[in-house]
Amino acid sequence: MKTALIRALRLFASHLPRAGFALARALAWVTQALGRGIPEERIRALVPDLDPARLRAARRRTWSNFLMGEALDAALARPRARDPHPRLVPTPATELQPPLILGSFHVGPFAALGAVLERLDGEVLAVHRGRFAPRPGLTLMRTGEDEWERARTFHGAVSALRAAAFVYTALDGFGEGAYEAATIDVPVLGGTMSLARGGFALARITRTPIVPIVARWRGIRVEIACGDAIDPTLSEA
């Protein structure tokens, strides 16, 4: 049932993206009694202070986010799709000025950040590992499956920043295919998280700040949040 549901949702969203986001949210509500989503024990291990009601709500939210993410992924994979992104909550992120490295993570509807990238005033190089169709105003470049392809991508990102462009990249350490990216472990929420070295090396070599940027669902719209710029020269002081 789950496979058929997702397949139908993706097909619908690939043709009518914004209606697809609404359908995904409605399906999540209709199927909430099935107990889908991240298991409550895993959520409790991460956030032990949640009471039972909030724990159940968190699990339901993960199921809703999953279905809406499937709709978004299908919309962005369709070539020449019209308005594949969710509507944005008003955000100052569209006013950012280059050169900048926009660093995100593989959490939440990160693919919806494309709605901001397409609105930026300047050239944008998006380094990715997904299955995204070409979009106006963006140059897409895959991270690469081996060290040679990754070196080519890194060189392209350096050239873009030196030409006063934006470069978008994920900061977490997910390699592509069987290739494992070079990472460093940092403490997060009582555990550890692997961050890719590439984005920070890019900032250091080009002396370009990194602006953390993430997306989260607000109903069927997306809110974009930016952190303070990380100056790569601070560690040299």
Side-chain angles (χ1 to χ4, degrees), residues 42-71:
R42 289 180 56 188
I43 299 174
R44 186 185 295 109
L46 184 63
V47 191
D49 295 334
L50 287 180
D51 59 49
R54 291 186 176 182
L55 190 61
R56 289 191 296 272
R59 176 189 52 75
R60 291 194 295 267
R61 182 65 177 270
T62 65
W63 175 235
S64 176
N65 287 352
F66 169 75
L67 290 179
M68 294 176 74
E70 287 288 325

Side-chain angles (χ1 to χ4, degrees), residues 162-181:
R162 288 177 173 168
F166 293 96
V167 169
Y168 166 82
T169 185
L171 298 177
D172 45 6
F174 286 96
E176 182 166 348
Y179 184 83
E180 294 186 4

Side-chain angles (χ1 to χ4, degrees), residues 93-112:
T94 55
E95 304 302 320
L96 293 171
Q97 295 297 312
L100 279 180
I101 298 169
L102 304 177
S104 190
F105 303 88
H106 291 93
V107 294
F110 64 91

